Amino acid sequence: QVQLVESGGGLVQPGGSLRLSCAASRSISSINSMSWHRQAPGKERELVAVITSSGITTYTDSAKGRFTISRDNPSNTVYLQMNSLKPEDTAVYYCKAFISTISHGAINYWGKGTLVTVSS
Protein backbone atom coordinates (compact mmCIF):
# COMPACT_ATOMS: atom_id res chain seq x y z
CA GLN A 1 0.00 0.00 0.00
CA VAL A 2 1.10 3.58 -0.63
CA GLN A 3 -0.35 7.05 -0.06
CA LEU A 4 0.34 9.75 -2.61
CA VAL A 5 0.19 13.52 -2.09
CA GLU A 6 0.41 15.90 -5.03
CA SER A 7 1.51 19.52 -4.79
CA GLY A 8 2.72 22.36 -6.97
CA GLY A 9 -0.45 23.27 -8.79
CA GLY A 10 -1.68 26.81 -9.19
CA LEU A 11 -2.49 29.60 -11.58
CA VAL A 12 -0.02 30.26 -14.37
CA GLN A 13 -0.13 32.37 -17.53
CA PRO A 14 -0.02 30.76 -20.97
CA GLY A 15 3.57 29.97 -21.88
CA GLY A 16 4.57 29.64 -18.24
CA SER A 17 5.92 26.67 -16.30
CA LEU A 18 5.01 24.65 -13.24
CA ARG A 19 6.58 21.69 -11.50
CA LEU A 20 4.24 19.23 -9.85
CA SER A 21 5.41 16.91 -7.10
CA CYS A 22 4.01 13.60 -5.94
CA ALA A 23 5.25 12.49 -2.53
CA ALA A 24 4.84 8.80 -1.70
CA SER A 25 4.49 7.36 1.80
CA ARG A 26 6.96 4.56 1.10
CA SER A 27 9.88 3.73 -1.11
CA ILE A 28 9.06 4.09 -4.78
CA SER A 29 12.09 2.21 -6.05
CA SER A 30 10.15 -1.05 -6.22
CA ILE A 31 6.90 0.41 -7.54
CA ASN A 32 6.35 -0.88 -11.08
CA SER A 33 5.44 2.50 -12.50
CA MET A 34 4.43 5.99 -11.48
CA SER A 35 2.34 8.20 -13.70
CA TRP A 36 0.61 11.53 -14.00
CA HIS A 37 -2.95 11.85 -15.22
CA ARG A 38 -5.24 14.82 -15.60
CA GLN A 39 -8.93 15.53 -15.71
CA ALA A 40 -10.28 18.70 -17.24
CA PRO A 41 -13.76 19.99 -16.37
CA GLY A 42 -16.39 17.90 -18.10
CA LYS A 43 -13.86 15.45 -19.51
CA GLU A 44 -12.60 12.00 -18.62
CA ARG A 45 -9.34 11.48 -16.80
CA GLU A 46 -6.45 10.96 -19.21
CA LEU A 47 -2.88 9.78 -19.03
CA VAL A 48 -0.14 12.41 -19.32
CA ALA A 49 3.16 10.63 -18.64
CA VAL A 50 4.56 7.42 -17.15
CA ILE A 51 7.90 6.48 -15.63
CA THR A 52 8.80 2.89 -14.85
CA SER A 53 10.94 1.56 -12.01
CA SER A 54 13.82 1.33 -14.49
CA GLY A 55 13.39 4.95 -15.54
CA ILE A 56 11.74 4.44 -18.90
CA THR A 57 9.41 7.31 -19.72
CA THR A 58 6.39 7.56 -21.99
CA TYR A 59 4.37 10.64 -22.91
CA THR A 60 1.09 11.27 -24.61
CA ASP A 61 1.15 13.43 -27.70
CA SER A 62 -0.14 16.43 -25.79
CA ALA A 63 2.78 16.23 -23.35
CA LYS A 64 5.66 15.38 -25.69
CA GLY A 65 8.25 18.11 -25.93
CA ARG A 66 6.68 20.20 -23.18
CA PHE A 67 6.42 17.98 -20.09
CA THR A 68 9.07 15.91 -18.34
CA ILE A 69 8.38 13.20 -15.79
CA SER A 70 11.14 12.24 -13.38
CA ARG A 71 11.59 10.38 -10.15
CA ASP A 72 13.85 10.84 -7.13
CA ASN A 73 14.00 7.53 -5.31
CA PRO A 74 15.80 8.79 -2.16
CA SER A 75 13.01 11.28 -1.46
CA ASN A 76 10.22 8.99 -2.74
CA THR A 77 9.02 11.74 -5.04
CA VAL A 78 7.91 11.87 -8.65
CA TYR A 79 7.87 15.14 -10.55
CA LEU A 80 6.15 16.54 -13.60
CA GLN A 81 7.88 19.55 -15.10
CA MET A 82 5.46 21.38 -17.35
CA ASN A 83 6.68 24.05 -19.74
CA SER A 84 5.00 26.13 -22.43
CA LEU A 85 1.67 25.68 -20.72
CA LYS A 86 -1.52 26.23 -22.67
CA PRO A 87 -5.07 26.99 -21.52
CA GLU A 88 -6.04 23.47 -22.58
CA ASP A 89 -3.63 22.09 -19.96
CA THR A 90 -6.02 23.35 -17.29
CA ALA A 91 -7.07 20.34 -15.23
CA VAL A 92 -6.74 18.55 -11.95
CA TYR A 93 -3.50 16.55 -12.12
CA TYR A 94 -3.35 13.20 -10.37
CA CYS A 95 -0.43 10.98 -9.46
CA LYS A 96 -0.81 7.22 -9.69
CA ALA A 97 1.29 4.32 -8.48
CA PHE A 98 0.91 0.95 -10.17
CA ILE A 99 2.01 -2.01 -8.08
CA SER A 100 1.87 -5.58 -9.30
CA THR A 101 2.78 -8.49 -7.04
CA ILE A 102 2.15 -12.20 -7.20
CA SER A 103 0.50 -12.16 -3.81
CA HIS A 104 -1.83 -9.16 -4.34
CA GLY A 105 -2.16 -8.84 -8.10
CA ALA A 106 -2.22 -5.44 -9.81
CA ILE A 107 -3.35 -2.40 -7.82
CA ASN A 108 -3.52 1.29 -8.69
CA TYR A 109 -3.11 3.89 -5.96
CA TRP A 110 -4.19 7.47 -6.61
CA GLY A 111 -3.51 10.78 -4.99
CA LYS A 112 -6.21 13.40 -4.48
CA GLY A 113 -4.93 15.71 -7.18
CA THR A 114 -3.66 19.23 -7.58
CA LEU A 115 -5.36 21.90 -9.69
CA VAL A 116 -3.50 23.57 -12.54
CA THR A 117 -5.11 26.60 -14.14
CA VAL A 118 -3.56 28.17 -17.22
CA SER A 119 -5.07 31.56 -17.87
CA SER A 120 -4.13 35.14 -18.54
Side-chain angles (χ1 to χ4, degrees):
Q1 190 173 6
V2 59
Q3 284 78 46
L4 304 172
V5 179
E6 302 95 335
S7 61
L11 174 63
V12 62
Q13 292 187 340
S17 298
L18 279 177
R19 189 177 79 158
L20 306 183
S21 300
C22 172
S25 61
R26 48 152 280 191
S27 172
I28 63 172
S29 60
S30 60
I31 292 178
N32 300 82
S33 69
M34 301 286 295
S35 54
W36 286 96
H37 303 247
R38 69 185 183 186
Q39 187 167 16
K43 296 188 177 181
E44 294 187 352
R45 192 173 299 187
E46 64 176 5
L47 175 67
V48 176
V50 182
I51 186 165
T52 67
S53 57
S54 58
I56 298 173
T57 58
T58 305
Y59 299 91
T60 58
D61 288 343
S62 62
K64 282 180 184 176
R66 299 189 300 128
F67 295 0
T68 303
I69 188 170
S70 62
R71 58 194 295 160
D72 181 58
N73 287 347
S75 66
N76 300 325
T77 304
V78 175
Y79 301 99
L80 184 68
Q81 177 68 44
M82 305 187 295
N83 300 326
S84 303
L85 284 162
K86 306 174 182 179
E88 51 263 43
D89 294 318
T90 295
V92 177
Y93 284 72
Y94 298 90
C95 179
K96 188 189 83 171
F98 172 71
I99 300 175
S100 180
T101 62
I102 295 175
S103 57
H104 294 88
I107 302 175
N108 290 316
Y109 297 92
W110 292 90
K112 294 184 178 181
T114 184
L115 176 63
V116 172
T117 303
V118 184
S119 176
S120 55

